[in-house]
Amino acid sequence: MPQPAPREPGPEPKPKATRLPAPRPPKTLRERIFHALPPYAGPYHVGYMEIEVPAQNPRHFSHIKRNGEFALKLDTVLFSIYYPSLLPEKESSSRSRTRVPWLPRPRAETCRGYALFLSIPNLPVTAYIAVTSMFTKLHAHRNAKLSDRWPMLEPAVAAVATPTSQDTLVDDDEQRDDNATDDEDQGKPKFPVIIFSHGLGGSRTAYSAVCGELASFGFVVVALEHRDGSGARTFVNKTGESADLESQDLEMTQERDDKPDKRRKRKDKKTKPYYMVDYIFPKDNALDTSPNNARGVDTELRGAQIDMRLAEIEEAFHVLREINNGRGNRIAEQNLRVKGNIGSSSRGLDGVDWADWKGRLYLENVTMMGHSFGGATTVQALTEGFGWVSQGIVVDIWGPAVPESTTTHSTQKKPLLSVGSEAFMHWKDNFDRVERICKDTRTSGALCWMTTIRGSTHLFPTDFALLYPNWMSLLMKTIVNPRRAISLTVHSALEFLKITLPPHQTRFSHAWADEELLRHADDSETQVLYDHRPDDKWVAARLKIANEFSLRLRSWLPWRKQDAGVPRDASGKPLAGLLNWGPGKEVWVHLSPDRNKY
């Protein structure tokens, strides 16, 4: 296995003065009443942009049709960008600090999409989500200014603690060094890039906790919303060309239609400036995601969806390159998420200073990251020859969805981190497929880790785990505290990227949280327990908790014994949930490189 190039740490910034970021906003009244997401832990505030632009190469994928039309059509690409932002105090009460709603617009339609995806009645789902999360906001500010400052921590603090809102940041004009690049010589940091691919039923905001947390540590995270029929519901705004084609079809239809009422209804349907994409269930095999499905994965549909996802990733990368090359204004002109179009904020991209973005992104070493089906997409992206993708992070990957040709005939040669759930660890076929991918990666000479977060279930990296922790605990038997599971995922990713990214992209890694989750044990020392393996019919769906009733009762009693030495969240609850394992025992490492290789 080739050893990574020796690191030559650049000179640390030596500021003459420091600046504290604006204080985190206190909880609003609606956050105290409705479900709320936790604030991000990194030293940066987080900005947010939403972009939908026409595809460079519109086309359809596969011959699969629904309602007489091709089901997988690439007309536009939609994604959100989470990025580091430092907001001046003078903007603390201005409209520029508008926070982003968690539930994508149109909200009622999005709720109906979730009901369809879950195959349950629409009305109760829509009503429940409306009551609990309709007003939930991300801790990200729309179109905020890209940060032009560096994070700075005392070395002793950075080594043992997660940065908080009180960590200092360095003024941009007081940190020049002789070895900086042209952009860095101007005092403005460049940021590494992560492209995130969601899982089945996901969206561009469903993983805001992970994406925003990474952005708060200094990454630009592009969260795609795939329009391949893998999300619960999404809306595609039509471009001028597609709208003209619809108009021509309408005129021909009207000439053939002799009934005015039918013509009027068809006209209303045809002239909509958008179309809706719902979750596509495989024909005659709707539950192809289930471990107990004897027919297995619908390889035709899932393979076509991955092909379309890869095309969307390329389209998004093209947009990033345009922005980085100083042509952000062109992207803003093409943006379809503007006032009047469905799913859009009234602000669009108003207030974005595109000059700030010129030359501020590292696009030669992009990281691919994805959850579940997005993990399968990530593995395929690593093997597709995208020269600008240098490493990948898969979170509870759906292994059987990875094309068999990839796992049989292709060797993945780029560094890979796999963070899995305990629920999926007990799914043997999935575990074996992921282990094969990881072993092939290690055999090729690339660094690779395969880990499991103890007590977690499949939705642990999603915002649903944070917004609905009681349902996750009661229905899926999730044991780990959801906030802790997010931290373990992000901190593992930061440790992995500190090792695999080029040194010039990790110049401010001293501000990254580092619990040494990947270094604390190698695969020969890991003791995997199967105490929570469920019955076969619940494999991958939930865990099993022995003596569940008494455990829950004890955890609810106000006089319960508080175990010393167990990490706790802000409310004082044990971070490990019902069962306390303590530091260093929360992550199982199944595969890891030799320690002298990194």
Side-chain angles (χ1 to χ4, degrees), residues 187-203:
K188 295 182 179 181
K190 292 179 69 172
F191 298 110
V193 174
I194 298 173
I195 296 180
F196 190 95
S197 175
H198 65 72
L200 299 180
S203 71

Side-chain angles (χ1 to χ4, degrees), residues 130-141:
V131 170
T132 57
S133 301
M134 185 71 80
F135 301 104
T136 298
K137 300 280 187 177
L138 309 187
H139 287 275
H141 301 94

Side-chain angles (χ1 to χ4, degrees), residues 156-230:
V157 175
V160 299
T162 300
T164 68
S165 60
Q166 296 303 312
D167 298 330
T168 58
L169 288 101
V170 184
D171 278 322
D172 59 340
D173 56 351
E174 298 178 357
Q175 54 176 338
R176 303 167 187 253
D177 68 72
D178 296 335
N179 299 320
T181 64
D182 291 340
D183 294 303
E184 291 165 343
D185 189 51
Q186 299 173 7
K188 295 182 179 181
K190 292 179 69 172
F191 298 110
V193 174
I194 298 173
I195 296 180
F196 190 95
S197 175
H198 65 72
L200 299 180
S203 71
R204 63 192 182 278
T205 61
Y207 300 83
S208 70
V210 169
C211 295
E213 190 82 349
L214 288 167
S216 76
F217 283 107
F219 289 86
V220 171
V221 184
V222 177
L224 281 155
E225 180 149 317
H226 294 295
R227 333 299 271 286
D228 60 342
S230 62

Side-chain angles (χ1 to χ4, degrees), residues 63-323:
H63 65 276
I64 299 173
K65 291 187 176 183
R66 293 292 189 272
N67 300 321
E69 296 183 359
F70 288 109
L72 281 69
K73 297 186 296 183
L74 177 60
D75 290 322
T76 70
V77 60
L78 170 64
F79 54 89
S80 297
I81 303 179
Y82 301 78
Y83 57 91
S85 173
L86 183 64
L87 303 178
E89 292 183 7
K90 64 182 179 181
E91 295 183 355
S92 60
S93 60
S94 71
R95 197 161 178 263
S96 61
R97 291 201 64 170
T98 301
R99 286 173 58 188
V100 181
W102 173 74
L103 197 61
R105 295 183 176 95
R107 299 172 188 177
E109 289 296 330
T110 299
C111 294
R112 294 188 184 100
Y114 282 126
L116 177 66
F117 170 68
L118 297 171
S119 300
I120 55 181
N122 162 52
L123 184 58
V125 172
T126 301
Y128 182 71
I129 295 180
V131 170
T132 57
S133 301
M134 185 71 80
F135 301 104
T136 298
K137 300 280 187 177
L138 309 187
H139 287 275
H141 301 94
R142 192 180 297 276
N143 303 347
K145 182 180 176 63
L146 181 67
S147 179
D148 55 5
R149 293 174 172 84
W150 293 76
M152 187 64 181
L153 289 173
E154 294 295 331
V157 175
V160 299
T162 300
T164 68
S165 60
Q166 296 303 312
D167 298 330
T168 58
L169 288 101
V170 184
D171 278 322
D172 59 340
D173 56 351
E174 298 178 357
Q175 54 176 338
R176 303 167 187 253
D177 68 72
D178 296 335
N179 299 320
T181 64
D182 291 340
D183 294 303
E184 291 165 343
D185 189 51
Q186 299 173 7
K188 295 182 179 181
K190 292 179 69 172
F191 298 110
V193 174
I194 298 173
I195 296 180
F196 190 95
S197 175
H198 65 72
L200 299 180
S203 71
R204 63 192 182 278
T205 61
Y207 300 83
S208 70
V210 169
C211 295
E213 190 82 349
L214 288 167
S216 76
F217 283 107
F219 289 86
V220 171
V221 184
V222 177
L224 281 155
E225 180 149 317
H226 294 295
R227 333 299 271 286
D228 60 342
S230 62
R233 175 166 289 182
T234 186
F235 292 87
V236 181
N237 285 293
K238 295 176 183 176
T239 62
E241 180 180 352
S242 60
D244 290 342
L245 291 174
E246 291 283 359
S247 178
Q248 294 173 14
D249 291 342
L250 173 61
E251 292 176 2
M252 295 175 63
T253 301
Q254 289 176 338
E255 291 176 0
R256 296 193 302 265
D257 196 345
D258 296 326
K259 295 182 180 180
D261 291 340
K262 287 186 177 180
R263 181 170 69 245
R264 188 179 299 110
K265 291 179 180 179
R266 192 169 298 174
K267 179 178 179 180
D268 291 340
K269 181 179 179 180
K270 285 284 187 179
T271 55
K272 285 184 179 179
Y274 63 88
Y275 62 89
M276 184 172 66
V277 180
D278 280 343
Y279 182 79
I280 299 174
F281 288 94
K283 280 191 173 180
D284 305 320
N285 189 16
L287 299 179
D288 74 327
T289 59
S290 172
N292 298 312
N293 180 12
R295 301 183 62 178
V297 175
D298 186 326
T299 56
E300 181 183 17
L301 173 61
R302 303 309 181 188
Q305 287 177 322
I306 287 180
D307 289 342
M308 181 168 170
R309 283 166 163 247
L310 296 178
E312 290 173 315
I313 290 168
E314 287 188 289
E315 294 282 351
F317 181 75
H318 167 74
V319 173
L320 291 179
R321 192 162 46 196
E322 290 289 288
I323 292 173

Side-chain angles (χ1 to χ4, degrees), residues 396 419-426 451-457 460 477-482 484-486 488-489 492 517 520 526-532 543 575-590:
D396 219 22
V419 180
S421 72
E422 182 175 349
F424 264 35
M425 182 191 74
H426 297 308
T451 69
T452 292
I453 294 179
R454 190 175 177 185
S456 60
T457 53
F460 77 87
K477 313 303 180 187
T478 301
I479 301 171
V480 67
N481 182 285
R484 181 57 177 164
I486 294 291
L488 291 171
T489 303
S492 296
L517 298 168
H520 85 272
T526 299
Q527 182 182 3
V528 178
L529 304 177
Y530 295 89
D531 299 345
H532 304 297
L543 295 176
L575 290 176
L578 292 173
L579 303 177
N580 301 323
W581 299 305
K585 298 180 181 180
E586 300 165 287
V587 176
W588 289 318
V589 181
H590 307 289

